[in-house]
Amino acid sequence: MIWEQMLPMKWRILIFLPLLFISSDASGAFVGINIGMELTDLPSAKDVVEILKSHHVTHVRLYDADRHMLNALANTGIEVMVGVNNEELLGIGKYPAAAADWVNKNVVAYLPETNITAIAVGSEVLTTIPRVAPYLVWAMGHLHRALVATNLNFQVKVSSPHAMDIIERPFPPSTATFNPKMNTTMYLFLQFLKNTKSFFMLNAYPYYGYTTGNGIFPIDYALFKPLAPSKQIVDSNTALRYSSMFDAMVDAAYYSMEALNFSGIPVVVTESGWPSLGGSNEPDATTENAEIYVTNLIHRVLNNSGPPSQPQIPISTYIYELFNEDKRPGPLSEKNWGLFHTNGTAMYSQNLITLDMEEGNSSDGVLFCVAKQGADESALEAGLNWACGPGKASCGAIQEGQPCYQPNSLQSHASYAFNDYYQRMRSSGGTCDFGGTAMTTPMDPSHGSCIFTGSSSSHSGRVITPLTAYGPVSPTSRGLTLQNSWIAFYIPAMVFLLQLQQ
Ligand SMILES: *[C@@H]1O[C@H](CO)[C@@H](O)[C@H](O)[C@H]1NC(C)=O
Ligand SMILES: *[C@@H]1O[C@H](CO)[C@@H](O)[C@H](O)[C@H]1NC(C)=O
Ligand SMILES: *[C@@H]1O[C@H](CO)[C@@H](O)[C@H](O)[C@H]1NC(C)=O
Ligand SMILES: *[C@@H]1O[C@H](CO)[C@@H](O)[C@H](O)[C@H]1NC(C)=O
Ligand SMILES: *[C@@H]1O[C@H](CO)[C@@H](O)[C@H](O)[C@H]1NC(C)=O
Ligand SMILES: *[C@@H]1O[C@H](CO)[C@@H](O)[C@H](O)[C@H]1NC(C)=O
């Protein structure tokens, strides 16, 4: 039932942007953080936990089950996902006794003081070490049975994080499928998740989707920035509009599951982030982009809505990652995903904002007021007329020939007017309602030279490459990926699945 506890409606956050974590009453979508430990000056476990606490982190994922970390996390209230690493996976997949040992040593020994709620079995196993893939679902099954034996199966969920690479062509989302060579394993995997009420773990990196996309997608799309309607990304099969690549990636996972006839398995994003520094051939790995991405990602997750095809299922997400990991191999960007220095200060400290989203209150981060998608046209029109008339909003910019005339749509003009009214009148009690057609958002709707009232950024002169193509993009995930070396295996499925039904 863990995922149901992750998904409820109410949430409250205290944000220190961009390192902002949720002080949540254990409900709603959450933002967690990955803790990679491949760094030279890794602070002590106790100091790491102090850093987590000082930033109000509520959920963490460890890549293993480090005993110092698990001890230090005791009695903190922080929920912990532990990891079976790829080297351990084979033994656990082969021998149930190895799974029982693992669970006893790494989970049972720490509960309930350390609140372990999930086991991530391997990391991107299907795409990085395909030869071990046939053992993945066996390993998950063995671990689950060990949890059943210790009566922890409702408290601790078992799943396995996948790279986007398992989805051959993620765009457009509606036609996404898992790599057909993995059908058998994916089928068993999803059957396991369904039977055990677990969730789908996805590592979703718009950074790679963008940088490997050869300019097909505008960077604003990867960074959650608003796109002019003419450049928006619409899935032509479903007519669903994708305002960010992140949403499209999550939806690609839902549609891929649907293609195998599975529904109702929630996606939790186990990794997402943006590197703040890269080599000379990695021009998009900048502090500015990292800050924008992480900030917007958090806003996106905490708005509690799902992706377009599953609007009711929020997308809880673990940001990648706590510290820069200088010991990781690979290009410079691989070592620079951290949000914090090891002394606990923020990596991008320019923009310290405190937000209390529950009350729609922001002290420095502006909330914009925009027309809701799909709002009734006549109600929108009435709202627009009211705002520009009795509401005294300044509507010059949306007149023909002015910067906010384009896109020439009711939705867009109403957004401009609603927001202008709201920014001016808010302090004297003006609300963002307009007959239920308006809503607030932390995302700045400014585009091109059309600057919304209250916007701090100057967008003037920014050119967005028009989106002409809508072709395949295969983001690669971090770390080693060995594509096309997959060999399909048949597992005596029914016997195994029957064993799990308990
Ligand atoms: C552990 O996390 C679960 C899931 O959010 C929560 O229901 C439970 O109360 C937590 N347990 C402790 C001891 O904090
Ligand atoms: C794999 O499953 C997809 C549906 O997701 C189906 O279209 C395809 O034919 C299957 N491929 C194989 C090799 O079974
Ligand atoms: C999914 O279900 C439909 C309808 O029951 C069936 O025609 C199709 O073959 C199934 N697809 C898979 C991949 O099992
Ligand atoms: C939440 O974010 C999604 C995706 O950006 C957006 O479509 C939706 O309108 C937002 N909802 C609210 C209530 O802000
Ligand atoms: C923390 O570490 C960073 C990077 O080493 C340094 O720039 C910063 O001054 C340090 N801050 C404090 C308060 O020690
Ligand atoms: C808004 O947030 C600020 C900073 O957290 C806080 O001091 C203030 O009381 C809040 N205002 C309301 C109306 O909640």
Side-chain angles (χ1 to χ4, degrees):
M1 294 293 157
I2 288 298
W3 67 268
E4 287 169 357
Q5 293 162 6
M6 289 172 178
L7 307 176
M9 295 298 132
K10 231 179 94 213
W11 40 270
R12 179 187 176 80
I13 55 163
L14 189 60
I15 294 187
F16 301 92
L17 268 191
L19 327 160
L20 26 147
F21 287 89
I22 322 164
S23 179
S24 112
D25 45 4
S27 53
F30 61 80
V31 176
I33 192 160
N34 284 280
I35 307 182
M37 309 216 286
E38 295 179 46
L39 55 154
T40 316
D41 57 344
L42 181 67
S44 71
K46 192 166 149 286
D47 289 345
V48 173
V49 171
E50 283 310 311
I51 293 172
L52 298 173
K53 280 157 65 178
S54 72
H55 293 283
H56 306 274
V57 173
T58 57
H59 293 72
V60 297
R61 171 181 169 214
L62 307 179
Y63 284 88
D64 51 19
D66 181 82
R67 94 189 137 86
H68 302 293
M69 281 301 298
L70 288 173
N71 280 325
L73 285 162
N75 305 312
T76 57
I78 297 174
E79 284 181 38
V80 183
M81 180 186 294
V82 290
V84 168
N85 63 43
N86 288 355
E87 291 73 43
E88 295 168 313
L89 196 147
L90 195 60
I92 291 174
K94 283 183 175 167
Y95 309 109
D101 279 353
W102 198 95
V103 164
N104 284 330
K105 177 161 165 265
N106 299 309
V107 178
V108 177
Y110 299 99
L111 278 167
E113 288 78 11
T114 303
N115 200 358
I116 298 173
T117 55
I119 303 176
V121 184
S123 176
E124 306 185 350
V125 174
L126 299 186
T127 38
T128 55
I129 41 169
R131 80 192 152 74
V132 175
Y135 295 97
L136 174 62
V137 185
W138 284 106
M140 292 167 62
H142 292 157
L143 290 163
H144 178 73
R145 289 175 66 80
L147 292 167
V148 170
T150 46
N151 214 12
L152 292 172
N153 53 312
F154 293 110
Q155 198 171 337
V156 182
K157 293 298 166 189
V158 176
S159 187
S160 178
H162 294 303
M164 278 303 291
D165 295 23
I166 59 159
I167 299 171
E168 275 201 318
R169 276 189 294 280
F171 303 103
S174 63
T175 59
T177 58
F178 295 117
N179 182 337
K181 292 177 185 157
M182 298 181 193
N183 274 7
T184 309
T185 298
M186 286 315 295
Y187 181 82
L188 296 172
F189 178 76
L190 296 171
Q191 190 75 63
F192 174 90
L193 299 183
K194 187 94 190 168
N195 287 347
T196 61
K197 295 193 168 60
S198 185
F199 48 91
F200 190 94
M201 296 179 171
L202 180 72
N203 292 349
Y205 285 101
Y207 172 72
Y208 289 119
Y210 168 70
T211 55
T212 62
N214 297 321
I216 292 173
F217 295 109
I219 192 167
D220 286 4
Y221 180 56
L223 293 174
F224 299 91
K225 288 185 177 174
L227 300 174
S230 61
K231 281 144 197 155
Q232 276 178 355
I233 308 233
V234 175
D235 184 324
S236 54
N237 300 312
T238 56
L240 291 175
R241 185 194 307 259
Y242 286 86
S243 56
S244 72
M245 193 186 285
F246 177 82
D247 278 75
M249 287 177 158
V250 173
D251 247 358
Y254 278 112
Y255 280 108
S256 300
M257 289 194 261
E258 196 179 302
L260 291 174
N261 281 350
F262 284 90
S263 62
I265 301 173
V267 171
V268 168
V269 173
T270 32
E271 291 179 16
S272 193
W274 196 284
S276 61
L277 183 67
S280 56
N281 57 343
E282 302 175 300
D284 303 298
T286 64
T287 303
E288 193 200 355
N289 286 343
E291 175 163 5
I292 293 169
Y293 182 81
V294 171
T295 304
N296 287 342
L297 173 65
I298 290 162
H299 284 312
R300 167 65 192 91
V301 170
L302 296 183
N303 107 352
N304 246 2
S305 65
S309 84
Q310 308 286 337
Q312 307 308 326
I313 310 181
I315 315 171
S316 288
T317 297
Y318 292 82
I319 296 177
Y320 186 82
E321 62 177 329
L322 186 64
F323 301 127
N324 284 342
E325 290 184 276
D326 61 315
K327 294 196 325 205
R328 279 193 65 80
L332 188 58
S333 63
E334 280 283 318
K335 309 172 200 300
N336 287 287
W337 294 80
L339 297 194
F340 300 98
H341 296 292
T342 48
N343 61 16
T345 61
M347 195 67 75
Y348 350 104
S349 50
Q350 302 86 319
N351 241 346
L352 223 57
I353 304 180
T354 305
L355 266 185
D356 184 333
M357 302 275 289
E358 190 173 57
E359 299 174 34
N361 169 8
S362 76
S363 54
D364 191 359
V366 180
L367 282 178
F368 297 90
C369 179
V370 296
K372 284 182 186 161
Q373 300 284 348
D376 178 69
E377 295 231 333
S378 54
L380 266 188
E381 191 153 359
L384 175 61
N385 289 337
W386 186 88
C388 296
K392 297 196 172 66
S394 157
C395 295
I398 52 177
Q399 304 308 313
E400 192 157 2
Q402 298 305 307
C404 300
Y405 179 66
Q406 294 294 348
N408 181 12
S409 69
L410 188 54
Q411 168 99 23
S412 154
H413 289 176
S415 291
Y416 185 88
F418 290 178
N419 180 64
D420 186 79
Y421 167 82
Y422 180 64
Q423 301 304 337
R424 288 164 195 268
M425 302 308 292
R426 202 178 155 195
S427 54
S428 44
T431 58
C432 178
D433 183 55
F434 298 95
T437 62
M439 64 181 201
T440 56
T441 169
M443 293 188 211
D444 186 346
S446 304
H447 49 89
S449 54
C450 171
I451 308 300
F452 272 54
T453 311
S455 172
S456 55
S457 61
S458 163
H459 289 245
S460 45
R462 174 165 288 140
V463 179
I464 300 173
T465 323
L467 183 81
T468 49
Y470 201 62
V473 171
S474 302
T476 53
S477 65
R478 73 185 280 270
L480 183 70
T481 57
L482 307 172
Q483 292 174 20
N484 305 324
S485 48
W486 169 265
I487 305 160
F489 277 80
Y490 175 74
I491 300 179
M494 295 335 288
V495 177
F496 183 53
L497 291 172
L498 284 173
Q499 289 174 347
L500 294 174
Q501 308 267 12
Q502 48 175 288

